[in-house]
Each structure stands twice: as structure tokens, then as C-alpha cells.
Amino acid sequence: MRRGLLLLTVITFVTWIGTRMTAVALPLVALEETGQAWTTGLVGGMAGLPLLTVGWWGRGLRERLTGGRALAVVAGVHAAGLAIVPVAALVGQVGAVALCASGLVTGVAGALLGPAERSLVSDLADEHVARGGRTGPAKWLAWQDLAHRVSMIFAPPAGAWAVTMLGASALLWCETAVVALAAIAFLAVPARSATSHEGQGGGPGAATPGRPVSALAVLRSHPQIATGALMAGVGGMCWFGFSLGLAVLGVEHDRPGALIAAGMSGYGAASVAASLLVPVVIDRLPRMAAMLSSWVVLGAVFVALPLVAPSLTGVAAVAAVGGAAMPWGLAALNALISEQTQGPERRAAFTAETVLHSGGTSLGLLAGGALIGWAGSEAVLLTTGLLQIAAAVGAAGLSWRPVTVILLAPGQAKAAPSPRGSKARTGYLHR
């Protein structure tokens, strides 16, 4: 099991390097081949549609993604989608149709692959612990998140260099090859072992034979996961306040590109540094406290950014605070899902997390430019920051509920057991 977990972590690292490098090349190919700026965002925009709707069309498919061979098929589809644009470029047929087709195919594959991969990491880590291993799902998911974040540091500059040396189309072929190799590597990852209680339909979100698990039912039956996912969704929708807001704020202060570069650099470096520490302490990390504090801190960072602008040092330092906070909250949410769910419920919960967080980010970016144009960058940063703080405060209120007392016999009572990762304090269950 350890070998399969290591292989999944390496696959995450390598494929994210390719994705971040290609993010530099794809808009250039679209602009060069079509001559129209509006086509540069077609692939990313179309890829968001399957992500937002995966809870509907992907319910039956995700039940089958329980091993390396199934993930290899999805990764192969992803590679085929990536190949559409460079193949079209070879024959001079890059246009809106090819770009949209590539976005839809890669969007379908990506919407399935991310949650399925995290679910398989959790399943294999559970089996690893059952066989005497010491590293459980929370730590392996934290290592996977680290592999994802490390690519933020060097992949974009490497992509810019590769575009200069090799050309944008050649870089697209490179990512296609990387994902195709990842599909082959997935074949060496074992499948999870089915558990005896899986599929018996014990709770509201549980699976029943022949009936896919509803992500909404899973969220209803696991309030902690629901509040964590909702906070992530609000944070995703508000992210445009940072990325677009800082870019516009720099223009308003006659420093175009400088503020967003400083903010992203500070945020990225600090998030990677924090991700190095998360696996060491994740098993002792209070889940709800980590999620709540992460989103409160990030919201406060959004509010503070206009106050320190246009100082590049100030923007980088404040953004670094947010970057250092975020890995803890996301790691706590992933750990919570791995601890409170299994099998189909687990895959549904990871899908819900992906839809809310990544889908929220896409929606926010879609509307963010218009909102900034209407209200101004400072007002948007302030509003998005306060929204994240309000979401965390609301989640904190919902996460506390009275302990259920079950009468066992006259004169005896027992408090209902709390979920793994939560603690009972002074008569209340921290959910």
C-alpha cells in the first residue's frame, strides 16, 4: 500500500507541474492561431462546466473509480482532451470548436480524477494503517497537497522559459505526454479493498445496492464536512478579490503587474512553507478550529491588502500571512472527510468539496471583473474579505450543538459518541 501511496503523490506532483507550465502556453497558442483574444479563455471556461455539474452526471461513474486501472482510463481521456489543441495546430484548424472540445473533455476528466484520486489515497492509507503502518489518510492527503503547492513556485517560470525555447505548441505536446505517462503509472496503483459494511445503506448518505450516493445527502449527514465545504466554497468564490483585485489595484496605483506579482509570490512561498509543516502535526490538529481560523485569517488578509498598498513589501508580507494559513484549513477538511466517511460516501464528499471550492472559484472569476469595474478594487477586497469572515463565524455557530443523551437504563445515561476528530467540551459536541 505504501508503494501505491507514494506513486499517487508523485503522479500529483508531476501532473500539476505540467498543468501549471501549460497555463502559460495555451492562451498563446489560442491567440496565435485564431488572432482573437476572446478565445484565450475558452478552454478554461468550458472546463468549468463539467466541474459544476459533476454532482449530477458523475454520480454513477465515480462509484467505479476505486483503483488505479479506473483512474488510468480517466487520465487517458484527459490526455486525449489535451491533445486536441496541438493536433489542431498541426493542421491549422485551431478555432473555437477545437478549444471548446478540449475544455469539455479535460473538464470531464478533471472533475472525476481529482476527487477519485483523493478518495483512493484515503482508502489505501486506511488499509496501510490496518496492516500496521503509522501514516494515516490525513498525513498522506497533506503530502499530496504539498506536492500540488510546490509546483506553484517553479512551474510558471519554467513554463515561460520553455515557451521561449521550445514554442507554445511544443509545450502542449509535453503536457499531453506527461498525462499519458501518468495514465500508465496509474496502472501500478492497487485498488482499494471493499469493506464488509460498505453499501449497506446505514445512514442518510450511505450507499445502497444499485443506487449512487448523493453528495447532498452526505453533506446533510455530516455537518462538520458540510460547514467545511461551504466555507471552502465561499472562499473559492471570493478568490477573485485577491487575484483580480490586486491586479486592478496595481493599475490604480500606477504599478501595473507589480502588486499582483508581489501578492502571489508572498502567498505561494508561505503556503508551500506551511505545507511542509502540516503533515507533521495534522494528526494533532483540531479539525473545526483549523478550518475556521484559516478562513478568518484569509478574510482579514483581503481586508488588510488595500491598507498596505502600494507597498510591494507590505502586500507580499500580508499575502504571506494568508498563504501560511490556508494549507491548515484545507488539510483539516480533507482529514475530516477521510475520518468520517468511507467508500461511496467518501467519494461523494470529495466531489462536493471539489465542486464547491473549484466551482466557486470559476464562478467568482467569471463575475469578478464586472464587480470590480462597478465597485472598485478596494471595495471588492473589503467585501470579499468580510464575506469569508462571516462564513467562518456562521460555521462556528452551526458547528456547536447539544450532546444527545440516550437513556440506557434507570439512573444511567450515555452521551452519543462524537465523530472522529471532534471533542466534547462542557456539555456540547463540537461538530
Side-chain angles (χ1 to χ4, degrees), residues 53 115-116 119 132 149 188 216 240 244 254-255 326 354 363 423:
T53 58
S119 298
R149 290 180 183 276
L216 183 58
F240 78 90
L244 299 182
D254 294 324
R255 309 195 76 168
M326 278 318 301
T354 300
L363 289 176
K423 297 181 179 179

Side-chain angles (χ1 to χ4, degrees), residues 158-427:
W161 175 84
V163 166
T164 302
M165 301 300 296
L166 304 175
S169 294
L171 192 56
L172 295 182
W173 280 115
C174 289
E175 188 191 12
T176 302
V178 165
V179 176
L181 290 174
I184 297 173
F186 272 126
L187 295 173
V189 178
R192 66 176 179 84
S193 297
T195 56
S196 59
H197 58 275
E198 206 172 282
Q200 294 179 0
T208 55
R211 180 182 177 185
V213 177
S214 165
L216 183 58
V218 172
L219 294 180
R220 286 175 176 170
S221 60
H222 297 281
Q224 285 186 323
I225 295 175
T227 54
L230 288 173
M231 282 189 288
V234 172
M237 290 187 67
C238 292
W239 178 248
F240 78 90
F242 184 89
S243 57
L244 299 182
L246 272 183
V248 175
L249 190 62
V251 174
E252 293 173 353
H253 286 284
D254 294 324
R255 309 195 76 168
L259 295 190
I260 184 61
M264 285 295 188
S265 297
Y267 183 95
S271 70
V272 170
S275 296
L276 290 169
L277 299 175
V278 170
V280 180
V281 299
I282 185 63
D283 287 335
R284 299 187 295 273
L285 195 67
R287 308 304 188 216
M288 285 302 300
M291 290 189 293
L292 294 169
S293 59
S294 289
W295 292 113
V296 167
V297 169
L298 188 63
V301 164
F302 278 42
V303 172
L305 282 171
L307 303 179
V308 298
S311 168
L312 297 183
T313 302
V315 168
V318 171
V321 174
M326 278 318 301
W328 304 96
L330 296 177
L333 177 56
N334 286 334
L336 203 60
I337 293 173
S338 69
E339 291 164 354
Q340 295 191 0
T341 61
Q342 293 182 7
E345 274 195 317
R346 178 175 286 172
R347 292 187 290 278
F350 277 121
T351 299
E353 177 197 11
T354 300
V355 170
L356 288 171
H357 185 56
S358 300
T361 301
S362 298
L363 289 176
L365 290 172
L366 184 64
L371 289 174
I372 292 174
W374 173 67
S377 59
E378 292 188 1
V380 165
L381 277 165
L382 176 64
T383 302
T384 52
L386 292 176
L387 278 175
Q388 291 174 89
I389 295 173
V393 172
L398 292 173
S399 64
W400 291 86
R401 56 193 273 182
V403 173
T404 301
V405 176
I406 305 172
L407 296 179
L408 300 178
Q412 291 183 318
K414 181 180 180 180
S418 62
R420 292 179 62 189
S422 62
K423 297 181 179 179
R425 298 179 183 176
T426 62

Side-chain angles (χ1 to χ4, degrees), residues 22-46:
T22 308
V24 178
L26 188 56
L28 297 178
V29 172
L31 184 60
E32 178 182 343
E33 296 291 332
T34 66
Q36 298 174 315
W38 68 271
T39 63
T40 58
L42 276 179
V43 172
M46 295 304 292

